[in-house]
Amino acid sequence: MIQLLFALLFGEGLLILLLLVRTPLRKLVLLGLDRVKRGRGPAVVKTLATTVFVVLVSSVNSVMKIQRRASAVGSITPTDQVLMSKHMLEASMMGYALFLTLMIDRMHHHMTELRILRKQIRSSGEGKSAGGSGDNSNSNRRALEEDIAALQEKVKELQLESEAKDREAKTAETNAMALRKQSEGFLLEYDRLLEDNQNLRSQLQSVDRRLSHSDSKKNIFP
């Protein structure tokens, strides 16, 4: 489960990076997202997102149950501590995955709008040059210039929003790496606790054998 979530976060981070960097791959990614949003694609994505959200709620519920059991007993066992850390890690990773999915959807939406606006600006400029100076009045020119200025302002706003999304993506990727290192530490601690538990059981069995042996001697020699 954790390895699958790491792969999902890595894939979403790579997809965001391809959307932000101007490369030939970005066109392919945009075309792929366009196809995903057609037909049954949105329904499949919503179903997967709902499933991940349900698992996220289940993990949070498990963490709350462990905390309630620990508060009732007064202390938390090492096994419950490891399980709680595992559930918290999975919940955090699923939350980041849902957040990155939403961010990819918004980035694709804004980039599609930006592409349409640029086409409109080009078509407006071409229509202006093809119309001739004698056919266009000053009012029409002024209106076109105002429209172009408004479109350019919107393009700047979209670029600023895209830069903000880029910073959020970098932050999310950094948090994902930190969670991965934390999970590795939890797994090592879990292995150590299992080994300690096995050693304690072996010692208890040895003590039980000694006690049973001494009792048998007492029964033989009263």
Side-chain angles (χ1 to χ4, degrees):
M1 182 67 176
I2 295 177
Q3 288 80 3
L4 181 61
L5 290 173
F6 272 124
L8 178 61
L9 288 174
F10 179 77
E12 288 180 340
L14 181 61
L15 190 62
I16 292 173
L17 183 63
L18 291 175
L19 288 174
L20 292 174
V21 180
R22 290 185 177 180
T23 59
L25 292 175
R26 184 165 72 173
K27 294 182 179 180
L28 296 176
V29 172
L30 289 174
L31 290 175
L33 291 175
D34 289 336
R35 291 184 179 180
V36 168
K37 289 188 176 183
R38 296 174 186 172
R40 297 181 179 178
V44 174
V45 173
K46 289 179 181 179
T47 303
L48 293 175
T50 304
T51 303
V52 174
F53 181 76
V54 170
V55 178
L56 170 62
V57 173
S58 177
S59 297
V60 173
N61 189 25
S62 298
V63 172
M64 294 177 65
K65 285 182 179 179
I66 293 173
Q67 288 179 348
R68 286 196 297 267
R69 185 166 61 246
S71 61
V73 175
S75 63
I76 184 170
T77 62
T79 303
D80 286 341
Q81 187 176 4
V82 172
L83 290 174
M84 185 173 67
S85 301
K86 180 177 177 292
H87 288 306
M88 290 179 64
L89 176 62
E90 290 179 352
S92 300
M93 294 176 70
M94 284 184 283
Y96 279 119
L98 292 175
F99 172 73
L100 292 178
T101 302
L102 179 62
M103 190 165 63
I104 290 170
D105 178 69
R106 291 294 88 197
M107 289 178 66
H108 175 258
H109 175 72
H110 291 311
M111 285 183 176
T112 303
E113 285 189 350
L114 182 61
R115 185 171 51 188
I116 294 172
L117 289 174
R118 285 177 177 174
K119 288 182 180 179
Q120 291 177 354
I121 292 172
R122 287 198 203 96
S123 62
S124 298
E126 291 175 358
K128 182 179 177 181
S129 61
S133 60
D135 297 331
N136 295 326
S137 61
N138 292 329
S139 60
N140 291 332
R141 291 180 182 177
R142 194 177 299 110
L144 287 174
E145 289 176 356
E146 290 177 357
D147 291 339
I148 292 173
L151 291 173
Q152 288 177 349
E153 289 294 329
K154 193 167 184 179
V155 168
K156 290 180 181 179
E157 292 177 0
L158 290 173
Q159 288 177 349
L160 291 174
E161 188 173 355
S162 178
E163 291 177 358
K165 296 294 184 182
D166 185 17
R167 290 192 292 269
E168 291 178 359
K170 290 180 179 178
T171 303
E173 188 175 357
T174 303
N175 292 332
M177 294 300 295
L179 287 172
R180 183 176 181 178
K181 293 181 180 178
Q182 187 179 6
S183 68
E184 292 176 354
F186 285 148
L187 290 175
L188 292 175
E189 182 67 16
Y190 182 69
D191 292 337
R192 187 184 66 80
L193 290 172
L194 286 178
E195 185 178 357
D196 292 342
N197 190 11
Q198 187 65 32
N199 292 332
L200 289 173
R201 287 183 177 179
S202 299
Q203 292 176 4
L204 288 173
Q205 290 177 358
S206 178
V207 170
D208 289 338
R209 285 195 298 268
R210 291 178 182 176
L211 290 174
S212 62
H213 184 66
S214 61
D215 291 338
S216 61
K217 286 183 176 180
K218 289 180 180 179
N219 292 328
I220 294 172
F221 303 103

